[in-house]
């Protein structure tokens, strides 16, 4: 199982570099946090694309959307001083990876490659 950041899912939807890595992760059983799911929906809507189609495609792989738990929210808040360059959604995604003890796939180079973070490209 892999946790998928919004940037990874968007790279897949747009056929960008790394999309093959994301597709393999989706096929193996991907998880996305609710905050990141909202980011994906926002970007798709913001670019006037068909959200129903994008949503259906992603969910057809069996992608699981995980809610934000109290523990996730508190972990994201605690990580802020050391991860000030990351958004709240980014930190929630990392907290989800920690909770599930799973690698986190991202296309956002600002995250680096430490710990469970895996760059898709």
């Amino acid at each position: 199982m892999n946790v998928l950041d919004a940037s990874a899912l968007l790279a897949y939807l747009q056929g960008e570099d790394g999309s093959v890595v994301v597709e393999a992760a989706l096929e193996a059983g991907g998880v996305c946090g609710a905050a990141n799911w909202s980011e994906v929906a926002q970007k798709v809507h913001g670019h006037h694309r068909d959200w129903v189609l994008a949503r259906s495609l992603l969910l057809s792989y069996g992608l699981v959307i995980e809610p934000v738990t109290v523990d996730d929210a508190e972990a994201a808040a605690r990580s802020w001083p050391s991860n000030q360059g990351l958004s709240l959604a980014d930190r929630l995604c990392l907290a989800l990876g920690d909770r599930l003890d799973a690698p986190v796939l991202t296309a956002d180079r600002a995250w680096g490659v430490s710990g469970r973070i895996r760059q898709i490209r």
Side-chain angles (χ1 to χ4, degrees), residues 1-42:
M1 162 188 16
N2 292 287
V3 174
L4 297 158
D5 175 45
S7 65
L9 292 174
L10 290 166
Y12 170 72
L13 289 173
Q14 298 173 95
E16 296 175 358
D17 288 345
S19 62
V20 172
V21 174
V22 176
E23 184 173 28
L26 286 166
E27 289 172 343
V31 176
C32 180
N36 290 111
W37 186 248
S38 179
E39 270 193 301
V40 174
Q42 173 187 314

Side-chain angles (χ1 to χ4, degrees), residues 68-115:
V68 174
T69 67
V70 170
D71 290 340
D72 294 342
E74 291 174 358
R78 281 192 307 274
S79 75
W80 178 74
S82 61
N83 290 314
Q84 288 187 14
L86 301 183
S87 71
L88 175 58
D90 292 344
R91 289 179 283 121
L92 286 169
C93 187
L94 290 170
L96 176 60
D98 287 342
R99 174 166 52 97
L100 299 177
D101 193 26
V104 179
L105 277 63
T106 185
D108 190 341
R109 294 187 195 277
W111 287 32
V113 293
S114 64

